[in-house]
Amino acid sequence: IQWFPGHMAKARREIQEQLKLVDLVIEITDARIPESSRNPMLNELVQQKAHLLVLNKIDLADDKMTRAWRQYYENEGLAVLTADSQHKQPLEPLLKVANELLKDKLERQHERGIKSSVIRAMCIGIPNSGKSTFLNRLVGRNVAVTGNRPGVTKNQNWLKTKQNLEILDTPGVLWPKFEDELIGQRLALTGAIKEGLYHVDDIALFALHFLKLSYPQVLPKVYGLTEAQLSLDDPDLLLAMTKKFGYRDDYEKMSTKLILDYRKGHLGRLTLEQPPVDAEVTK
Ligand code: GDP
C-alpha cells in the first residue's frame, strides 16, 4: 500500500464508522517494533473505546525486550497482550483481558436490564502487523480478510469465536508513521513497507549497523564473519559479505538475503527498538 492523503482520510472515516459498532478495539502491532508499528493517530481515534494493545509476532522478538515493552505500555495505562498468532490461539488470554476491560461496561448494562454478554471487537493496525493471521487464529478457520486496502467498502460480518466474543471480519487498516527515517527503516526491515518503496541496500546497511551495535554476536555466528571483516565500515562489510556468499558484486542480492534472513528469524529473535530509557525494566 502506498498511502496518499485521500487514502488516509478514507481509512479514518471508515474506521470511525466501524468503531460505532464495537465495544473493544484490538490494536495489532509488531513486537519487534512496537512503537514504530503503531499508527500515529490511533490513540486519538479509539479514545472512547476499551483499547487493547497486542504485541504480535513475539516468536520473532527478543523476550527480554518484549517484557520491557509490555511494562512500558502498562505504565502508560494500556492493556497489553502478547501473541504469536502464527502458531498459537490467542482467544483465552484475549478474553481474560477483554472481560476485565469490559467489566464496568457490562455491569452498567446489567443495571439497565440489558443482558448482552457478547463482546464485539475489531482489529486495527498498520499493514503486515498480523491482523489477518490474528483474526483467523481467533476464529479457528481461514476467513477471507478483505481489509488490506484502504478505503475499500465491503460488507461486514461478525465472526463468531468459541466464546462470547464476536469480531468484525474486516480489520481496520491504518497507515504507518512515515515522518522519521529511522522508523521507516525499521518498518522496511520488518516488511511493513511495500517492496519497491525503499532501496534494499539502504535497509541492509541499516540492518548491519543495528546488528553490530545491539546484537554483536549475530553476524559472526550466523554468517561466520571475522573480526577483520566486522571492523570494516558498513558499505565495505556489505561488499565483503556479497563476495563471501558468491554473489560477485551483486550487493543488492546480498541485501535481499540479509533482509529475508531477518524477517524469517534466521538471525535470531531480535527486537529493533527499545522503550524510552526512563522506563524501568523489571522481572
Ligand atoms: P496484516 O496485513 O496485518 O493482515 O498481516 P498478515 O496477517 O497478513 O501477516 C503478515 C505476515 O506476518 C504474514 O506473512 C504472516 O504469516 C506473518 N505473521 C503474522 N502474525 C505472526 C506471528 O505472530 N508470528 C510470525 N512469525 N509471523 C506472523
mmCIF file with all atom_site columns, all heavy atoms in Angstrom, residues 56-57 59-60 83-86 126-133 148, ligand 1:
data_model
loop_
_atom_site.group_PDB
_atom_site.id
_atom_site.type_symbol
_atom_site.label_atom_id
_atom_site.label_alt_id
_atom_site.label_comp_id
_atom_site.label_asym_id
_atom_site.label_entity_id
_atom_site.label_seq_id
_atom_site.pdbx_PDB_ins_code
_atom_site.Cartn_x
_atom_site.Cartn_y
_atom_site.Cartn_z
_atom_site.occupancy
_atom_site.B_iso_or_equiv
_atom_site.pdbx_formal_charge
_atom_site.auth_seq_id
_atom_site.auth_comp_id
_atom_site.auth_asym_id
_atom_site.auth_atom_id
_atom_site.pdbx_PDB_model_num
ATOM   1   N N   . ASN A 1 56  ? 2.256  -8.474  18.710 1.00 0.00 ? 56  ASN A N   1
ATOM   2   C CA  . ASN A 1 56  ? 2.170  -9.725  17.939 1.00 0.00 ? 56  ASN A CA  1
ATOM   3   C C   . ASN A 1 56  ? 3.560  -10.122 17.429 1.00 0.00 ? 56  ASN A C   1
ATOM   4   O O   . ASN A 1 56  ? 4.492  -9.333  17.478 1.00 0.00 ? 56  ASN A O   1
ATOM   5   C CB  . ASN A 1 56  ? 1.192  -9.511  16.775 1.00 0.00 ? 56  ASN A CB  1
ATOM   6   C CG  . ASN A 1 56  ? 0.874  -10.797 16.046 1.00 0.00 ? 56  ASN A CG  1
ATOM   7   O OD1 . ASN A 1 56  ? 0.694  -11.849 16.661 1.00 0.00 ? 56  ASN A OD1 1
ATOM   8   N ND2 . ASN A 1 56  ? 0.791  -10.723 14.725 1.00 0.00 ? 56  ASN A ND2 1
ATOM   9   N N   . LYS A 1 57  ? 3.680  -11.331 16.937 1.00 0.00 ? 57  LYS A N   1
ATOM   10  C CA  . LYS A 1 57  ? 4.950  -11.857 16.405 1.00 0.00 ? 57  LYS A CA  1
ATOM   11  C C   . LYS A 1 57  ? 6.013  -11.971 17.497 1.00 0.00 ? 57  LYS A C   1
ATOM   12  O O   . LYS A 1 57  ? 7.206  -11.750 17.229 1.00 0.00 ? 57  LYS A O   1
ATOM   13  C CB  . LYS A 1 57  ? 5.486  -10.993 15.245 1.00 0.00 ? 57  LYS A CB  1
ATOM   14  C CG  . LYS A 1 57  ? 4.470  -10.732 14.137 1.00 0.00 ? 57  LYS A CG  1
ATOM   15  C CD  . LYS A 1 57  ? 5.114  -10.230 12.868 1.00 0.00 ? 57  LYS A CD  1
ATOM   16  C CE  . LYS A 1 57  ? 4.049  -9.799  11.855 1.00 0.00 ? 57  LYS A CE  1
ATOM   17  N NZ  . LYS A 1 57  ? 4.591  -9.475  10.548 1.00 0.00 ? 57  LYS A NZ  1
ATOM   18  N N   . ASP A 1 59  ? 7.197  -14.482 18.696 1.00 0.00 ? 59  ASP A N   1
ATOM   19  C CA  . ASP A 1 59  ? 8.139  -15.566 18.371 1.00 0.00 ? 59  ASP A CA  1
ATOM   20  C C   . ASP A 1 59  ? 9.362  -15.048 17.616 1.00 0.00 ? 59  ASP A C   1
ATOM   21  O O   . ASP A 1 59  ? 10.394 -15.709 17.566 1.00 0.00 ? 59  ASP A O   1
ATOM   22  C CB  . ASP A 1 59  ? 7.429  -16.658 17.550 1.00 0.00 ? 59  ASP A CB  1
ATOM   23  C CG  . ASP A 1 59  ? 6.815  -16.107 16.261 1.00 0.00 ? 59  ASP A CG  1
ATOM   24  O OD1 . ASP A 1 59  ? 6.100  -15.080 16.324 1.00 0.00 ? 59  ASP A OD1 1
ATOM   25  O OD2 . ASP A 1 59  ? 7.056  -16.689 15.193 1.00 0.00 ? 59  ASP A OD2 1
ATOM   26  N N   . LEU A 1 60  ? 9.237  -13.854 17.014 1.00 0.00 ? 60  LEU A N   1
ATOM   27  C CA  . LEU A 1 60  ? 10.369 -13.278 16.285 1.00 0.00 ? 60  LEU A CA  1
ATOM   28  C C   . LEU A 1 60  ? 11.096 -12.208 17.100 1.00 0.00 ? 60  LEU A C   1
ATOM   29  O O   . LEU A 1 60  ? 12.133 -11.704 16.692 1.00 0.00 ? 60  LEU A O   1
ATOM   30  C CB  . LEU A 1 60  ? 9.881  -12.653 14.968 1.00 0.00 ? 60  LEU A CB  1
ATOM   31  C CG  . LEU A 1 60  ? 9.285  -13.611 13.929 1.00 0.00 ? 60  LEU A CG  1
ATOM   32  C CD1 . LEU A 1 60  ? 8.695  -12.822 12.759 1.00 0.00 ? 60  LEU A CD1 1
ATOM   33  C CD2 . LEU A 1 60  ? 10.331 -14.597 13.430 1.00 0.00 ? 60  LEU A CD2 1
ATOM   34  N N   . ALA A 1 83  ? 1.353  -11.915 21.720 1.00 0.00 ? 83  ALA A N   1
ATOM   35  C CA  . ALA A 1 83  ? 0.814  -13.008 20.924 1.00 0.00 ? 83  ALA A CA  1
ATOM   36  C C   . ALA A 1 83  ? 1.800  -13.494 19.863 1.00 0.00 ? 83  ALA A C   1
ATOM   37  O O   . ALA A 1 83  ? 2.587  -12.721 19.321 1.00 0.00 ? 83  ALA A O   1
ATOM   38  C CB  . ALA A 1 83  ? -0.475 -12.555 20.227 1.00 0.00 ? 83  ALA A CB  1
ATOM   39  N N   . ASP A 1 84  ? 1.729  -14.781 19.625 1.00 0.00 ? 84  ASP A N   1
ATOM   40  C CA  . ASP A 1 84  ? 2.373  -15.384 18.466 1.00 0.00 ? 84  ASP A CA  1
ATOM   41  C C   . ASP A 1 84  ? 1.230  -16.007 17.686 1.00 0.00 ? 84  ASP A C   1
ATOM   42  O O   . ASP A 1 84  ? 0.928  -17.177 17.836 1.00 0.00 ? 84  ASP A O   1
ATOM   43  C CB  . ASP A 1 84  ? 3.389  -16.436 18.928 1.00 0.00 ? 84  ASP A CB  1
ATOM   44  C CG  . ASP A 1 84  ? 3.810  -17.383 17.811 1.00 0.00 ? 84  ASP A CG  1
ATOM   45  O OD1 . ASP A 1 84  ? 3.447  -17.135 16.646 1.00 0.00 ? 84  ASP A OD1 1
ATOM   46  O OD2 . ASP A 1 84  ? 4.500  -18.375 18.109 1.00 0.00 ? 84  ASP A OD2 1
ATOM   47  N N   . SER A 1 85  ? 0.553  -15.182 16.914 1.00 0.00 ? 85  SER A N   1
ATOM   48  C CA  . SER A 1 85  ? -0.677 -15.673 16.300 1.00 0.00 ? 85  SER A CA  1
ATOM   49  C C   . SER A 1 85  ? -0.391 -16.578 15.109 1.00 0.00 ? 85  SER A C   1
ATOM   50  O O   . SER A 1 85  ? -1.291 -17.210 14.567 1.00 0.00 ? 85  SER A O   1
ATOM   51  C CB  . SER A 1 85  ? -1.606 -14.523 15.917 1.00 0.00 ? 85  SER A CB  1
ATOM   52  O OG  . SER A 1 85  ? -0.920 -13.528 15.234 1.00 0.00 ? 85  SER A OG  1
ATOM   53  N N   . GLN A 1 86  ? 0.862  -16.638 14.705 1.00 0.00 ? 86  GLN A N   1
ATOM   54  C CA  . GLN A 1 86  ? 1.237  -17.584 13.646 1.00 0.00 ? 86  GLN A CA  1
ATOM   55  C C   . GLN A 1 86  ? 1.080  -19.022 14.159 1.00 0.00 ? 86  GLN A C   1
ATOM   56  O O   . GLN A 1 86  ? 0.703  -19.917 13.421 1.00 0.00 ? 86  GLN A O   1
ATOM   57  C CB  . GLN A 1 86  ? 2.701  -17.346 13.248 1.00 0.00 ? 86  GLN A CB  1
ATOM   58  C CG  . GLN A 1 86  ? 3.182  -18.193 12.103 1.00 0.00 ? 86  GLN A CG  1
ATOM   59  C CD  . GLN A 1 86  ? 2.807  -17.586 10.763 1.00 0.00 ? 86  GLN A CD  1
ATOM   60  O OE1 . GLN A 1 86  ? 1.926  -16.731 10.668 1.00 0.00 ? 86  GLN A OE1 1
ATOM   61  N NE2 . GLN A 1 86  ? 3.456  -18.016 9.720  1.00 0.00 ? 86  GLN A NE2 1
ATOM   62  N N   . ILE A 1 126 ? -1.461 -1.287  11.321 1.00 0.00 ? 126 ILE A N   1
ATOM   63  C CA  . ILE A 1 126 ? -0.830 -0.943  10.056 1.00 0.00 ? 126 ILE A CA  1
ATOM   64  C C   . ILE A 1 126 ? -0.679 -2.231  9.222  1.00 0.00 ? 126 ILE A C   1
ATOM   65  O O   . ILE A 1 126 ? -0.808 -3.335  9.765  1.00 0.00 ? 126 ILE A O   1
ATOM   66  C CB  . ILE A 1 126 ? 0.538  -0.246  10.265 1.00 0.00 ? 126 ILE A CB  1
ATOM   67  C CG1 . ILE A 1 126 ? 1.569  -1.220  10.863 1.00 0.00 ? 126 ILE A CG1 1
ATOM   68  C CG2 . ILE A 1 126 ? 0.404  0.999   11.142 1.00 0.00 ? 126 ILE A CG2 1
ATOM   69  C CD1 . ILE A 1 126 ? 3.003  -0.699  10.753 1.00 0.00 ? 126 ILE A CD1 1
ATOM   70  N N   . PRO A 1 127 ? -0.419 -2.124  7.932  1.00 0.00 ? 127 PRO A N   1
ATOM   71  C CA  . PRO A 1 127 ? -0.258 -3.324  7.108  1.00 0.00 ? 127 PRO A CA  1
ATOM   72  C C   . PRO A 1 127 ? 0.839  -4.237  7.648  1.00 0.00 ? 127 PRO A C   1
ATOM   73  O O   . PRO A 1 127 ? 1.847  -3.748  8.175  1.00 0.00 ? 127 PRO A O   1
ATOM   74  C CB  . PRO A 1 127 ? 0.139  -2.766  5.734  1.00 0.00 ? 127 PRO A CB  1
ATOM   75  C CG  . PRO A 1 127 ? -0.441 -1.391  5.697  1.00 0.00 ? 127 PRO A CG  1
ATOM   76  C CD  . PRO A 1 127 ? -0.342 -0.896  7.121  1.00 0.00 ? 127 PRO A CD  1
ATOM   77  N N   . ASN A 1 128 ? 0.592  -5.537  7.534  1.00 0.00 ? 128 ASN A N   1
ATOM   78  C CA  . ASN A 1 128 ? 1.609  -6.546  7.859  1.00 0.00 ? 128 ASN A CA  1
ATOM   79  C C   . ASN A 1 128 ? 1.849  -6.775  9.356  1.00 0.00 ? 128 ASN A C   1
ATOM   80  O O   . ASN A 1 128 ? 2.740  -7.530  9.727  1.00 0.00 ? 128 ASN A O   1
ATOM   81  C CB  . ASN A 1 128 ? 2.948  -6.205  7.172  1.00 0.00 ? 128 ASN A CB  1
ATOM   82  C CG  . ASN A 1 128 ? 3.811  -7.420  6.970  1.00 0.00 ? 128 ASN A CG  1
ATOM   83  O OD1 . ASN A 1 128 ? 3.367  -8.401  6.393  1.00 0.00 ? 128 ASN A OD1 1
ATOM   84  N ND2 . ASN A 1 128 ? 5.013  -7.384  7.481  1.00 0.00 ? 128 ASN A ND2 1
ATOM   85  N N   . SER A 1 129 ? 1.053  -6.149  10.204 1.00 0.00 ? 129 SER A N   1
ATOM   86  C CA  . SER A 1 129 ? 1.268  -6.361  11.641 1.00 0.00 ? 129 SER A CA  1
ATOM   87  C C   . SER A 1 129 ? 0.713  -7.718  12.080 1.00 0.00 ? 129 SER A C   1
ATOM   88  O O   . SER A 1 129 ? 1.029  -8.193  13.166 1.00 0.00 ? 129 SER A O   1
ATOM   89  C CB  . SER A 1 129 ? 0.629  -5.233  12.447 1.00 0.00 ? 129 SER A CB  1
ATOM   90  O OG  . SER A 1 129 ? -0.746 -5.129  12.167 1.00 0.00 ? 129 SER A OG  1
ATOM   91  N N   . GLY A 1 130 ? -0.089 -8.332  11.215 1.00 0.00 ? 130 GLY A N   1
ATOM   92  C CA  . GLY A 1 130 ? -0.597 -9.677  11.519 1.00 0.00 ? 130 GLY A CA  1
ATOM   93  C C   . GLY A 1 130 ? -2.076 -9.712  11.838 1.00 0.00 ? 130 GLY A C   1
ATOM   94  O O   . GLY A 1 130 ? -2.565 -10.661 12.457 1.00 0.00 ? 130 GLY A O   1
ATOM   95  N N   . LYS A 1 131 ? -2.809 -8.714  11.383 1.00 0.00 ? 131 LYS A N   1
ATOM   96  C CA  . LYS A 1 131 ? -4.244 -8.646  11.676 1.00 0.00 ? 131 LYS A CA  1
ATOM   97  C C   . LYS A 1 131 ? -4.999 -9.863  11.157 1.00 0.00 ? 131 LYS A C   1
ATOM   98  O O   . LYS A 1 131 ? -5.792 -10.473 11.866 1.00 0.00 ? 131 LYS A O   1
ATOM   99  C CB  . LYS A 1 131 ? -4.843 -7.370  11.067 1.00 0.00 ? 131 LYS A CB  1
ATOM   100 C CG  . LYS A 1 131 ? -4.279 -6.099  11.651 1.00 0.00 ? 131 LYS A CG  1
ATOM   101 C CD  . LYS A 1 131 ? -4.830 -4.863  10.975 1.00 0.00 ? 131 LYS A CD  1
ATOM   102 C CE  . LYS A 1 131 ? -4.437 -4.733  9.508  1.00 0.00 ? 131 LYS A CE  1
ATOM   103 N NZ  . LYS A 1 131 ? -2.972 -4.643  9.294  1.00 0.00 ? 131 LYS A NZ  1
ATOM   104 N N   . SER A 1 132 ? -4.762 -10.218 9.888  1.00 0.00 ? 132 SER A N   1
ATOM   105 C CA  . SER A 1 132 ? -5.494 -11.351 9.291  1.00 0.00 ? 132 SER A CA  1
ATOM   106 C C   . SER A 1 132 ? -5.140 -12.645 10.001 1.00 0.00 ? 132 SER A C   1
ATOM   107 O O   . SER A 1 132 ? -6.009 -13.473 10.282 1.00 0.00 ? 132 SER A O   1
ATOM   108 C CB  . SER A 1 132 ? -5.149 -11.499 7.811  1.00 0.00 ? 132 SER A CB  1
ATOM   109 O OG  . SER A 1 132 ? -4.974 -10.244 7.217  1.00 0.00 ? 132 SER A OG  1
ATOM   110 N N   . THR A 1 133 ? -3.872 -12.808 10.283 1.00 0.00 ? 133 THR A N   1
ATOM   111 C CA  . THR A 1 133 ? -3.409 -14.026 10.951 1.00 0.00 ? 133 THR A CA  1
ATOM   112 C C   . THR A 1 133 ? -4.046 -14.141 12.338 1.00 0.00 ? 133 THR A C   1
ATOM   113 O O   . THR A 1 133 ? -4.531 -15.196 12.736 1.00 0.00 ? 133 THR A O   1
ATOM   114 C CB  . THR A 1 133 ? -1.870 -13.997 11.083 1.00 0.00 ? 133 THR A CB  1
ATOM   115 O OG1 . THR A 1 133 ? -1.310 -13.717 9.798  1.00 0.00 ? 133 THR A OG1 1
ATOM   116 C CG2 . THR A 1 133 ? -1.325 -15.304 11.601 1.00 0.00 ? 133 THR A CG2 1
ATOM   117 N N   . ASN A 1 148 ? -7.297 -5.299  3.555  1.00 0.00 ? 148 ASN A N   1
ATOM   118 C CA  . ASN A 1 148 ? -5.928 -4.848  3.397  1.00 0.00 ? 148 ASN A CA  1
ATOM   119 C C   . ASN A 1 148 ? -5.697 -3.756  2.371  1.00 0.00 ? 148 ASN A C   1
ATOM   120 O O   . ASN A 1 148 ? -4.586 -3.471  1.991  1.00 0.00 ? 148 ASN A O   1
ATOM   121 C CB  . ASN A 1 148 ? -4.994 -6.031  3.172  1.00 0.00 ? 148 ASN A CB  1
ATOM   122 C CG  . ASN A 1 148 ? -4.598 -6.631  4.528  1.00 0.00 ? 148 ASN A CG  1
ATOM   123 O OD1 . ASN A 1 148 ? -4.752 -5.967  5.545  1.00 0.00 ? 148 ASN A OD1 1
ATOM   124 N ND2 . ASN A 1 148 ? -4.127 -7.846  4.546  1.00 0.00 ? 148 ASN A ND2 1
HETATM 125 P P1  . GDP B 2 .   ? -1.989 -7.948  8.046  1.00 0.00 ? 1   GDP B P1  1
HETATM 126 O O1  . GDP B 2 .   ? -1.547 -7.190  6.845  1.00 0.00 ? 1   GDP B O1  1
HETATM 127 O O2  . GDP B 2 .   ? -1.934 -7.097  9.282  1.00 0.00 ? 1   GDP B O2  1
HETATM 128 O O3  . GDP B 2 .   ? -3.316 -8.624  7.890  1.00 0.00 ? 1   GDP B O3  1
HETATM 129 O O4  . GDP B 2 .   ? -0.873 -9.072  8.300  1.00 0.00 ? 1   GDP B O4  1
HETATM 130 P P2  . GDP B 2 .   ? -0.929 -10.654 7.977  1.00 0.00 ? 1   GDP B P2  1
HETATM 131 O O5  . GDP B 2 .   ? -1.842 -11.360 8.924  1.00 0.00 ? 1   GDP B O5  1
HETATM 132 O O6  . GDP B 2 .   ? -1.135 -10.847 6.530  1.00 0.00 ? 1   GDP B O6  1
HETATM 133 O O7  . GDP B 2 .   ? 0.547  -11.059 8.390  1.00 0.00 ? 1   GDP B O7  1
HETATM 134 C C1  . GDP B 2 .   ? 1.678  -10.528 7.740  1.00 0.00 ? 1   GDP B C1  1
HETATM 135 C C2  . GDP B 2 .   ? 2.789  -11.558 7.759  1.00 0.00 ? 1   GDP B C2  1
HETATM 136 O O8  . GDP B 2 .   ? 3.200  -11.794 9.093  1.00 0.00 ? 1   GDP B O8  1
HETATM 137 C C3  . GDP B 2 .   ? 2.351  -12.908 7.223  1.00 0.00 ? 1   GDP B C3  1
HETATM 138 O O9  . GDP B 2 .   ? 3.434  -13.451 6.498  1.00 0.00 ? 1   GDP B O9  1
HETATM 139 C C4  . GDP B 2 .   ? 2.072  -13.734 8.467  1.00 0.00 ? 1   GDP B C4  1
HETATM 140 O O10 . GDP B 2 .   ? 2.267  -15.100 8.255  1.00 0.00 ? 1   GDP B O10 1
HETATM 141 C C5  . GDP B 2 .   ? 3.085  -13.173 9.424  1.00 0.00 ? 1   GDP B C5  1
HETATM 142 N N1  . GDP B 2 .   ? 2.650  -13.245 10.847 1.00 0.00 ? 1   GDP B N1  1
HETATM 143 C C6  . GDP B 2 .   ? 1.515  -12.774 11.396 1.00 0.00 ? 1   GDP B C6  1
HETATM 144 N N2  . GDP B 2 .   ? 1.497  -12.988 12.722 1.00 0.00 ? 1   GDP B N2  1
HETATM 145 C C7  . GDP B 2 .   ? 2.653  -13.612 13.033 1.00 0.00 ? 1   GDP B C7  1
HETATM 146 C C8  . GDP B 2 .   ? 3.249  -14.087 14.267 1.00 0.00 ? 1   GDP B C8  1
HETATM 147 O O11 . GDP B 2 .   ? 2.708  -13.975 15.368 1.00 0.00 ? 1   GDP B O11 1
HETATM 148 N N3  . GDP B 2 .   ? 4.479  -14.679 14.150 1.00 0.00 ? 1   GDP B N3  1
HETATM 149 C C9  . GDP B 2 .   ? 5.128  -14.798 12.955 1.00 0.00 ? 1   GDP B C9  1
HETATM 150 N N4  . GDP B 2 .   ? 6.329  -15.391 12.956 1.00 0.00 ? 1   GDP B N4  1
HETATM 151 N N5  . GDP B 2 .   ? 4.607  -14.357 11.803 1.00 0.00 ? 1   GDP B N5  1
HETATM 152 C C10 . GDP B 2 .   ? 3.393  -13.777 11.833 1.00 0.00 ? 1   GDP B C10 1
#
